Amino acid sequence: MSLPLRAIVLIQTQPGRGVDQRAAFATLAPVVRAEPGCLRYDLHAVADDPDRFVLIEEWASAEALQAHDASEHMREADAANRAFRAGPAEVFLLEPAPVA
């Protein structure tokens, strides 16, 4: 049995465009959360910066994450995000077990 995969995604929007990120996520999140293998898909705003966000993802398997990344709704979201994001999101895949 494999351990779930976790990812931390750092998102920066263009100045004043954090509201667009929130709206896009509100539309996308229910679709992603319904995907097979999605265990967690939560967007958090950075406390002192309304244009920065941290997305926390957890997937049951590498295959589930790969299917998510290849889905049509994610391709469409990635294309739409370019209108309000400052650049590409920074993605960190975490080791399955904590260091300490």
Side-chain angles (χ1 to χ4, degrees):
M1 174 155 203
S2 66
L3 294 173
L5 296 175
R6 293 182 185 98
I8 303 295
V9 182
L10 306 181
I11 299 166
Q12 176 72 51
T13 67
Q14 298 168 18
R17 302 293 300 267
V19 66
D20 297 310
Q21 176 62 57
R22 289 173 185 264
F25 188 81
T27 300
L28 182 63
V31 177
V32 173
R33 290 176 180 146
E35 290 180 46
C38 181
L39 304 175
R40 182 174 183 187
Y41 195 74
D42 297 326
L43 185 70
H44 297 268
V46 173
D48 295 337
D49 188 343
D51 296 322
R52 293 189 71 187
F53 299 87
V54 176
L55 175 62
I56 302 172
E57 300 184 40
E58 189 169 0
W59 295 90
S61 67
E63 294 79 17
L65 177 56
Q66 290 168 351
H68 162 72
D69 287 340
S71 69
E72 184 167 339
H73 56 267
M74 287 310 299
R75 287 193 307 271
E76 290 171 358
D78 288 343
N81 290 342
R82 293 183 190 121
F84 55 84
R85 287 199 180 163
E90 192 171 1
V91 179
F92 298 93
L93 290 177
L94 305 181
E95 293 287 332
V99 174

